[in-house]
Amino acid sequence: MRNKVINCILFDFDGVLIDSLPAMEIAWKSVQNKFGISNTFTDYKKYIGLPFKDILKQLNINKKYHEVINEHYSKISSQNKELIKLNPYVNYTLDWLKGNFIKTGIVTSKDKVRTLDLIQYFQLNVEIVVTPDLTEFGKPSSQPILLAAKNLKLNTNEIIFVGDMESDMHCAFNANCHYLHYKNGYQYLYHQMYGGEINSILELIEYIENI
């Protein structure tokens, strides 16, 4: 029997549980056309993992347009959700975790409405969902993970956060929880300064069994 020190797995959403890049690209190109924005989707991709309005800040887009851009982006993205795919072994792994009494949750920079819609769409069974509207600061701040830990009544050292962006790694580091970088996500880390790595969500099972 494993030494049960891990009682919860928190997942980033985009890039880890789902692949939403095709829908993102369509939505961003629509934003470019509607608002005359020169920043390409390649520019946008560099900041995936940050809350959407923080991405707009990084792209030096005037703050007075953030709300309307956000609304348009969300609308177009939702209209193309059939392009979003669930990553391999996600539901199998979530079921295994539940069967082994390990809590699960999603910590994402995606807005609440689209996140909950996609969780229902893919029928994902998790105990907690943390979206940017729930904290003052999003990733890489520790606040999203700390909020999840508080609501689940856990210490952060009982949690593994699975992410795919540098901001995810720093979020886990700042929260003092364990971190696994999903290498088939959106960002390859050439110099990973914290945590371990997995190539497949399925590898979580072996990782936990060997703790």
Side-chain angles (χ1 to χ4, degrees), residues 66-134:
H66 285 192
E67 194 62 44
V68 290
I69 290 174
N70 186 25
E71 289 175 3
H72 182 76
Y73 180 92
S74 296
K75 175 185 172 183
I76 302 301
S77 181
S78 295
Q79 288 174 352
N80 289 280
K81 71 179 179 183
E82 74 279 357
L83 298 176
I84 300 173
K85 305 299 182 186
L86 194 65
N87 281 336
Y89 307 113
V90 167
N91 277 324
Y92 179 88
T93 302
L94 289 176
D95 288 344
W96 185 90
L97 292 169
K98 180 173 285 292
N100 284 270
F101 308 103
I102 297 173
K103 296 178 179 178
T104 55
I106 292 172
V107 174
T108 180
S109 297
K110 188 184 289 295
D111 66 81
K112 179 179 179 180
V113 172
R114 287 188 298 138
T115 297
L116 297 180
D117 180 48
L118 288 169
I119 287 172
Q120 182 179 24
Y121 183 70
F122 289 113
Q123 298 184 332
L124 301 177
N125 188 2
V126 295
E127 275 87 358
I128 192 165
V129 178
V130 178
T131 53
D133 59 296
L134 297 177

Side-chain angles (χ1 to χ4, degrees), residues 14 18-19 41 57 76-77 87 89 104 109 112-113 129 131 142 145 152 156 161 168 184 188 203:
D14 293 283
I18 61 173
D19 179 9
F41 185 64
K57 289 178 186 176
I76 302 301
S77 181
N87 281 336
Y89 307 113
T104 55
S109 297
K112 179 179 179 180
V113 172
V129 178
T131 53
S142 63
I145 290 177
L152 293 171
T156 56
F161 183 43
D168 295 321
N184 285 313
Y188 182 84
E203 289 181 22

Side-chain angles (χ1 to χ4, degrees), residues 100-210:
N100 284 270
F101 308 103
I102 297 173
K103 296 178 179 178
T104 55
I106 292 172
V107 174
T108 180
S109 297
K110 188 184 289 295
D111 66 81
K112 179 179 179 180
V113 172
R114 287 188 298 138
T115 297
L116 297 180
D117 180 48
L118 288 169
I119 287 172
Q120 182 179 24
Y121 183 70
F122 289 113
Q123 298 184 332
L124 301 177
N125 188 2
V126 295
E127 275 87 358
I128 192 165
V129 178
V130 178
T131 53
D133 59 296
L134 297 177
T135 58
E136 182 179 1
F137 297 105
K139 295 182 284 185
S141 164
S142 63
Q143 287 188 10
I145 290 177
L146 295 179
L147 178 62
K150 179 181 178 181
N151 288 349
L152 293 171
K153 297 180 172 57
L154 295 172
N155 294 318
T156 56
N157 61 10
E158 300 174 77
I159 296 171
I160 297 174
F161 183 43
V162 183
D164 69 323
M165 302 295 291
E166 187 173 8
S167 58
D168 295 321
M169 178 185 68
H170 286 292
C171 180
F173 176 80
N174 292 332
N176 194 33
C177 76
H178 305 278
Y179 180 68
L180 289 175
H181 193 79
Y182 178 57
K183 292 176 67 177
N184 285 313
Y186 295 160
Q187 184 178 29
Y188 182 84
L189 297 183
Y190 292 96
H191 303 289
Q192 185 174 335
M193 49 74 74
Y194 182 70
E197 58 186 28
I198 54 174
N199 292 291
S200 165
I201 297 301
L202 192 63
E203 289 181 22
L204 263 175
I205 296 174
E206 182 181 1
Y207 183 87
I208 291 169
E209 287 181 329
N210 288 325

